[in-house]
Amino acid sequence: MTKVYTNAHIFTGEGEIENGYIRFSDEIIGVGKMEHYTKQVEDEEADLRGHFIVPGFIDVHSHGGYGVDNMDADAGKISDMTYKMLEEGITSYFPTTMTQSDENIEAALKAIDKAASMNPMIQGIHVEGPFISKKFKGAQPEEYIRVAQLDTLKKWQELSGERIRLITYAPETGEVSEFEEYCQDNDIILSAGHSGATYKQLKESKATHITHLFNGQLGLHHREIGVSGYGLLEDGVSVEMIVDGFHISEEMVKLAYKTKGADGIQLITDAMRAKGYPEGESELGGQKVIVKDKQARLSNGSLAGSVLTFIDAFKNMMTFTGCSMLEAVKMSSFNQAKEFNLASKGQLNPSFDADMVVLDEDLTVKQTILGGNINEFN
Ligand code: FE
């Protein structure tokens, strides 16, 4: 049996079909306009009139949710938590680690590797810190911050089953050229973040990605455009954004969208343990966090990750900037799949994985399909 969804508004990644069909098993078999559709004997049809179908979201920066943090280093819990993200429309996930002791980071990397071996959603690991700037630490615990060490990263890459694909680092904190070369040779994208680097320092670095643009970095100044300005200005540099309405003001989100354009932006959640749980006390990197009014903060008031769901980020981006849904799709999956060479993800075209989200007209997630398996939500 193959499934066919008919009469849907389908976003294929770079394009859209207003009244279309999509035929799939574990991968996409065909997609096109309804006028070109003919039912095959093996087809099991469902009419999705009034619904949108978009590629499954790809979150490259998130520490956890649903009571679990990757730093708990529990493979079973990490895998279960990842499946809960289906309800937000996420089908690909890069578990993100935090600035911690070597022992804790190593335990987390091993656990994520184990989780990834049993969970098809995990597509890589994002190592956030500890090679960052103390001055721009945000919610990363200062005592474990240090200068970039190539030997340590090599060891971690091995322990993780070669799954590290993204590293947040501060290029200005030391001699990093060998470290950067190793990353480039090993498919690890270099992301400037928790960094006070100047534009000139970044031009000399090999960073091609910016961790949570505007947060935890040297911001825009008219004589020194810093990390944020570098991210906005340079073609070939992708920027992550936490569009929850708290990490970046609506106006700044709009300014970034107008200057950078949808092709250079990747929505992330940067979610922490408390996402999906009632508000109250939680924890991040061994520090107490209070979640109130959809904001997670340390006792000093610093934002400590988010409790943002991906579908809310998707909706907020359209509300704040007036961007088209096609552009929101690009910022939610297509761009990530391109940058990280996820060859079968981020598009709903033949031979791509059947990873997709069915949204109703209010953009509520009704179904998330992972490798052809349908998960229904209310
Ligand atoms: Fe961060």
Side-chain angles (χ1 to χ4, degrees):
M1 269 299 195
T2 54
K3 277 262 179 196
V4 187
Y5 285 170
T6 58
N7 297 304
H9 189 150
I10 302 167
F11 292 83
T12 56
E14 272 181 306
E16 67 183 286
I17 304 162
E18 272 183 43
N19 186 27
Y21 73 93
I22 187 159
R23 181 180 280 115
F24 63 96
S25 55
D26 56 339
E27 59 177 41
I28 311 292
I29 299 162
V31 59
K33 292 181 180 173
M34 277 314 286
E35 61 205 71
H36 301 138
Y37 171 65
T38 328
K39 190 177 187 304
Q40 311 282 314
V41 263
E42 69 278 15
D43 284 347
E44 191 187 313
E45 279 182 1
D47 189 337
L48 260 70
R49 211 170 292 264
H51 289 78
F52 300 103
I53 304 177
V54 303
F57 302 142
I58 302 175
D59 196 350
V60 303
H61 188 160
S62 151
H63 300 275
Y66 310 96
V68 180
D69 188 299
N70 296 307
M71 298 308 290
D72 295 346
D74 183 321
K77 284 186 184 166
I78 292 169
S79 179
D80 291 349
M81 175 251 305
T82 303
Y83 285 126
K84 292 204 173 103
M85 295 176 182
L86 289 166
E87 196 163 350
E88 308 166 36
I90 295 170
T91 55
S92 290
Y93 174 48
F94 287 47
T96 307
T97 59
M98 270 199 74
T99 300
Q100 276 289 314
S101 67
D102 279 32
E103 200 185 352
N104 287 359
I105 292 173
E106 287 166 14
L109 293 172
K110 283 195 249 178
I112 298 165
D113 177 35
K114 199 171 159 197
S117 67
M118 55 183 165
N119 187 314
M121 293 174 68
I122 298 173
Q123 296 296 324
I125 299 175
H126 180 172
V127 169
E128 187 179 20
F131 311 130
I132 55 174
S133 155
K134 288 187 178 171
K135 199 172 166 204
F136 292 90
K137 66 183 191 295
Q140 306 281 326
E142 184 165 337
E143 65 258 49
Y144 303 112
I145 292 174
R146 69 197 109 130
V147 173
Q149 292 159 324
L150 177 56
D151 288 346
T152 306
L153 181 64
K154 280 184 181 168
K155 184 181 171 199
W156 290 354
Q157 180 63 331
E158 201 186 313
L159 284 175
S160 74
E162 316 279 318
R163 293 187 198 272
I164 300 171
R165 300 295 316 279
L166 178 60
I167 185 158
T168 293
Y169 78 126
E172 78 282 10
T173 52
E175 173 46 51
V176 293
S177 53
E178 275 184 47
F179 182 90
E180 290 177 325
E181 271 165 38
Y182 170 81
C183 290
Q184 284 192 319
D185 294 343
N186 288 276
D187 284 330
I188 302 173
I189 302 275
L190 287 151
S191 187
H194 294 283
S195 161
T198 60
Y199 177 76
K200 187 166 176 284
Q201 284 170 324
L202 282 162
K203 279 296 266 187
E204 286 161 5
S205 81
K206 294 194 166 69
T208 57
H209 189 104
I210 304 295
T211 300
H212 42 54
L213 186 75
F214 301 120
N215 298 116
Q217 58 193 242
L218 188 62
L220 276 173
H221 183 276
H222 56 286
R223 286 189 210 97
E224 172 49 66
I225 65 171
V227 180
S228 305
Y230 176 81
L232 289 174
L233 185 62
E234 293 297 308
D235 294 330
V237 174
S238 303
V239 302
E240 300 176 352
M241 290 196 345
I242 312 170
V243 186
D244 61 355
F246 307 114
H247 280 78
I248 316 168
S249 74
E250 283 192 37
E251 298 75 27
M252 196 52 127
V253 171
K254 201 167 181 178
L255 183 60
Y257 164 71
K258 278 187 135 177
T259 48
K260 188 72 185 172
D263 292 339
I265 297 172
Q266 297 183 11
L267 300 181
I268 55 162
T269 64
D270 197 5
M272 47 82 73
R273 187 190 297 283
K275 171 167 74 171
Y277 266 35
E279 299 200 335
E281 201 172 300
S282 190
E283 177 273 347
L284 182 74
Q287 309 159 103
K288 188 174 135 182
V289 173
I290 299 291
V291 183
K292 196 170 169 262
D293 304 328
K294 294 188 174 181
Q295 300 162 53
R297 293 185 186 273
L298 298 180
S299 51
N300 67 9
S302 253
L303 282 163
S306 85
V307 291
L308 176 67
T309 60
F310 211 108
I311 184 63
D312 280 348
F314 182 85
K315 290 194 272 194
N316 287 342
M317 193 68 194
M318 282 190 279
T319 309
F320 294 177
T321 65
C323 75
S324 69
M325 192 151 152
L326 183 59
E327 288 178 313
V329 164
K330 280 192 181 176
M331 294 185 267
S332 302
S333 55
F334 182 83
N335 295 344
Q336 289 85 336
K338 284 268 180 229
E339 186 181 14
F340 293 95
N341 276 320
L342 307 177
S344 61
K345 309 286 183 191
Q347 293 185 48
L348 300 182
N349 282 315
S351 85
F352 279 76
D353 292 344
D355 287 357
M356 46 195 180
V357 191
V358 176
L359 304 167
D360 68 10
E361 54 193 7
D362 301 323
L363 305 184
T364 300
V365 176
K366 302 307 279 183
Q367 291 184 0
T368 301
I369 297 135
L370 175 68
N373 290 314
I374 300 167
N375 302 272
E376 302 228 29
F377 306 106
N378 43 31

